[in-house]
Amino acid sequence: MASKTQTLALTLSLLILISSCKSSQAAGIATYWGQNSNEGTLADACNSGNYQFVNIAFLSTFGNNQTPVLNLAGHCDPSSGTCTGLSADIRTCQSKNIKVLLSIGGAAGSYSLTSADDARQVADYIWNNFLGGQSASRPLGDAVLDGVDFDIEAGGAQFYDELARSLNGHNAQAKTVYLAAAPQCPIPDAHLDGAIQTGLFDYVWVQFYNNPPCQYADGNADALLSSWNQWASVPATQVFLGIPAAPEAAPGGGFIPPDALKSQVLPTIKKSPKYGGIMLWGRQYDIDNGYSASIKDSI
């Protein structure tokens, strides 16, 4: 029989091990896939070992009595059914504990919500066509995505809170719909503040690029860190630093060289209890620049 001292030592060792496992899993890298036909397959992205989240982008048309449209650039054509083969890739990602989300909106989409009822109809469409519901016309096949990313950069701000509530309403005993948001770094965000204030979002990956007042510039991280401190207190489970994976990924600036990220930014933001990791725009630029591979051991 073990002595009390041995039992205590074993208990402490287990606690240290559990703490270590939690810390090693605490942060991850998210990216966007779907807008460049040269970025490889979705399975390629997940097989890289660099990401914990992949947003399939974008459901670029929805709301206001419009027929929803999924735009995956040159990868496949949803209207002719050629994207259903992505189900196998989605399952590959999920088998590696990578969450795959549908990103709605984007910078060039045609979308808006005109009423709470409109928001509920869009939520039902997304649930039935991409999540755990059923539909005869699932654009990505029968694989069930893990959630929805709100990348709302155009139109009004109304009713996205209702969309979030409606999607969240499909969570029963188990968490089946994760919610993410990609606001711009000026706070409050012009399109997503109301939705984020519901407190329903699991991940908020803030775009600290193409926004000079709150991004890294000329070797100086002060504006970014000041903005980060504000974002770190929003009612979300985790907050991510969203940055471009290469200079050309953000014409409006905000690229942070990996060494600068590690020395000037990460030591500060990792102290935030809600720090979740890094979001990179986007997969093609990351392939070209090798950004995620150069930072993944430091986040």
Side-chain angles (χ1 to χ4, degrees), residues 72-263:
L72 294 182
H75 286 287
C76 54
D77 178 20
S79 64
S80 62
T82 59
C83 297
T84 57
L86 282 171
S87 275
D89 285 21
I90 292 166
R91 292 191 181 96
T92 293
C93 297
Q94 293 168 332
S95 72
K96 300 175 182 296
N97 294 319
I98 297 168
K99 288 184 173 63
V100 185
L101 286 74
L102 172 71
S103 186
I104 66 172
S110 170
Y111 53 86
S112 64
L113 297 175
T114 57
S115 66
D117 184 61
D118 189 18
R120 289 188 287 269
Q121 289 184 40
V122 171
D124 287 344
Y125 173 85
I126 293 172
W127 170 256
N128 288 324
N129 285 276
F130 296 98
L131 302 174
Q134 293 186 341
S135 168
S137 59
R138 291 176 66 93
L140 301 178
D142 60 359
V144 176
L145 297 183
D146 296 294
V148 182
D149 168 59
F150 289 42
D151 184 14
I152 307 304
E153 303 184 36
Q158 285 188 295
F159 309 115
Y160 286 102
D161 56 343
E162 183 61 32
L163 181 60
R165 291 189 188 96
S166 297
L167 288 167
N168 185 69
H170 289 287
N171 289 317
Q173 281 74 27
K175 181 79 172 181
T176 57
V177 182
Y178 288 86
L179 296 180
Q184 309 294 310
C185 56
I187 192 168
D189 183 77
H191 299 99
L192 286 168
D193 183 61
I196 292 170
Q197 293 305 321
T198 64
L200 297 174
F201 283 80
D202 302 284
Y203 317 110
V204 173
W205 18 73
V206 185
Q207 298 185 43
F208 288 93
Y209 52 95
N210 294 330
N211 286 291
C214 45
Q215 68 190 24
Y216 181 91
D218 301 323
N220 191 315
D222 292 348
L224 180 151
L225 293 175
S226 176
S227 180
W228 169 268
N229 288 335
Q230 292 179 282
W231 280 106
S233 64
V234 299
T237 305
Q238 291 186 318
V239 179
F240 287 62
L241 181 82
I243 52 177
E248 55 272 23
F255 177 74
I256 309 175
D259 288 346
L261 180 74
K262 296 173 188 177
S263 62

Side-chain angles (χ1 to χ4, degrees), residues 16 22 32 50 55 77 118 137 176-177 180 194 214 253 271 275:
I16 291 170
K22 284 184 176 179
Y32 284 79
N50 294 342
N55 298 308
D77 178 20
D118 189 18
S137 59
T176 57
V177 182
C214 45
K271 295 175 183 176
Y275 168 75

